[in-house]
Amino acid sequence: MHMYMMPNHGMPGCPPGLEYLTQIDQLLIKQKVELIEALAGFESNNKYEIRNSMGQNVFYAVEENDCLTRQCCGPLRSFVIRVLDNYGQEIITIHRPLKCMSCFFPCCLQELEIQAPPGNTVGYVIQQWHPFFPKFIIENENREAVLRLHGPFCGWSCLPDVDFEILTMDEISIGKISKQWTGLLREAFTDADNFGIQFPMDLDVRMKAVMIGACFLIDFMFFESNN
């Protein structure tokens, strides 16, 4: 496994630890396959490797919650996901509260809070109600809407890849979050998925961090199997 050891130095106006995100316009997020989950259906904490376009590991992400929450709430569960760099330093913290989820009842819409570094909120992912299409608003730290995220019908597609478009508030496409096909056996017996994120190179680095959080929310909402 190739690892990219990022220089540990600050940049003006950039949250500590996110300096590398200023240099890239795409990321690959690979969920690690858990053997106990594949064989017994016992839900474990999700773990992810976040790689650059050359396949080098640049970050790791680990879900935190308790066993009862995982088994009883399934993909609806609340979580804290901690994103670590290759030095083991936590650079992004993602919080998801426990809320119900339904296409037809907009009483409890999903949301995330993204912090970078931990304790410093940089943005939110807020679900918008729609009976058929997944729609989200991306907000900055001041709760101002800055981007939109739109997915396909009911979050799924018959095509191998499923794309969620990243749009400006004027509905101009600037990138996407893609769920990528991982093969029949892996799709059938595990909920381990691959995702790609594409965004403009000059996008605010805080919003790039928020897009990582949005990718995890999409995984749980639409592609995490319910045991």
Side-chain angles (χ1 to χ4, degrees):
M1 184 72 67
H2 295 290
M3 298 174 63
Y4 182 87
M5 301 305 291
M6 290 161 287
N8 190 12
H9 57 78
M11 293 178 61
C14 178
L18 301 188
E19 293 86 359
Y20 180 69
L21 292 181
T22 64
Q23 309 170 30
I24 59 172
D25 60 0
Q26 57 183 305
L27 287 169
L28 175 65
I29 297 181
K30 297 178 67 69
Q31 185 178 349
K32 297 181 69 176
V33 177
E34 300 293 339
L35 185 60
I36 188 173
E37 216 172 303
L39 297 179
F42 186 86
E43 190 69 37
S44 58
N45 277 330
N46 287 357
K47 301 177 181 65
Y48 303 87
E49 296 170 348
I50 304 178
R51 303 178 182 178
N52 59 20
S53 59
M54 295 179 288
Q56 298 169 315
N57 279 2
V58 293
F59 303 123
Y60 293 91
V62 181
E63 175 193 359
E64 284 187 6
N65 50 31
D66 59 81
C67 180
L68 183 62
T69 297
R70 293 195 303 275
Q71 308 317 313
C72 294
C73 300
L76 291 176
R77 62 188 183 264
S78 60
F79 60 67
V80 174
I81 291 182
R82 306 189 186 279
V83 180
L84 315 173
D85 64 15
N86 285 329
Y87 297 102
Q89 298 174 325
E90 185 177 348
I91 58 170
I92 301 172
T93 306
I94 301 163
H95 293 269
R96 181 199 190 189
L98 177 62
K99 291 193 175 185
C100 299
M101 185 168 61
S102 171
C103 292
F104 303 104
F105 299 100
C107 55
C108 291
L109 298 177
Q110 300 296 303
E111 63 179 68
L112 286 184
E113 178 186 353
I114 296 88
Q115 301 175 354
N120 179 52
T121 301
V122 295
Y124 302 86
V125 181
I126 308 296
Q127 183 186 9
Q128 288 186 298
W129 182 79
H130 193 283
F132 304 115
F133 293 93
K135 294 189 176 185
F136 302 87
I137 289 290
I138 308 300
E139 298 179 342
N140 63 17
E141 67 274 17
N142 299 318
R143 304 306 301 251
E144 299 167 338
V146 293
L147 293 171
R148 301 179 187 272
L149 189 60
H150 291 179
F153 180 77
C154 285
W156 62 272
S157 170
C158 59
L159 299 176
D161 292 352
V162 183
D163 293 335
F164 289 72
E165 278 197 278
I166 303 170
L167 308 165
T168 66
M169 297 306 293
D170 298 324
E171 303 286 338
I172 299 172
S173 179
I174 61 170
K176 62 183 178 179
I177 296 175
S178 301
K179 193 268 185 181
Q180 300 170 340
W181 175 256
T182 54
L184 179 60
L185 288 178
R186 184 164 170 172
E187 292 283 346
F189 296 108
T190 77
D191 53 13
D193 299 309
N194 291 341
F195 289 87
I197 308 178
Q198 298 178 24
F199 37 57
M201 184 80 73
D202 59 354
L203 182 66
D204 187 325
V205 69
R206 296 169 181 82
M207 291 301 102
K208 292 182 180 182
V210 173
M211 287 302 156
I212 294 174
C215 182
F216 294 139
L217 181 60
I218 288 171
D219 182 24
F220 275 84
M221 287 182 64
F222 303 108
F223 305 109
E224 186 87 355
S225 64
N226 193 336
N227 293 326

